Amino acid sequence: MDQDMKDSMFSALENVIDPELGIDIVNLGLVYDVELDDEGLATVTMTLTSMGCPMGPVIVDQVNTALSELPEVKSTNVNIVWNPPWSKDKMSRYAKLALGVR
């Protein structure tokens, strides 16, 4: 997978908004990596803000929808991980400003 495809996938994921925080999952720092194999299987390695996040299934569904809009993506696998754990330090400057986090 080339860098342009990786950038396209991250751009698509910027359309996935965390329903509780109102910020996209990329700027929140929830997406750790994306991959696309030769058969068109996109694998997203990401975390959630907490293990008990009630919006987890909604976010995963939105990830699938966002990536399905890319013609190269035939199917999606969302791999939720807990290591490294998410913290506010992973948020972009934009997300920190929007949420008033220092």
Side-chain angles (χ1 to χ4, degrees):
M1 178 176 76
D2 64 14
Q3 188 62 44
D4 286 342
M5 187 67 230
K6 192 169 206 145
D7 291 345
S8 293
M9 292 172 72
F10 270 101
S11 291
L13 292 175
E14 286 180 343
N15 293 314
V16 178
I17 306 299
D18 182 300
E20 293 182 314
L21 299 175
I23 304 291
D24 69 88
I25 62 173
V26 173
N27 278 292
L28 284 173
L30 298 177
V31 180
Y32 294 159
D33 193 24
V34 294
E35 298 175 17
L36 183 67
D37 70 14
D38 293 336
E39 285 78 44
L41 171 63
T43 300
V44 179
T45 301
M46 63 174 290
T47 193
L48 300 170
T49 55
S50 68
M51 281 191 172
C53 177
M55 293 292 114
V58 172
I59 292 170
V60 168
D61 187 50
Q62 289 181 20
V63 166
N64 289 323
T65 300
L67 291 179
S68 72
E69 295 179 11
L70 297 174
E72 299 87 351
V73 174
K74 306 301 179 223
S75 60
T76 305
N77 176 42
V78 180
N79 183 23
I80 303 288
V81 298
W82 302 110
N83 273 322
W86 180 84
S87 73
K88 66 181 181 179
D89 296 334
K90 296 189 181 307
M91 294 168 57
S92 72
R93 183 173 181 275
Y94 160 75
K96 288 178 181 176
L97 286 171
L99 295 173
V101 174
R102 292 180 180 228

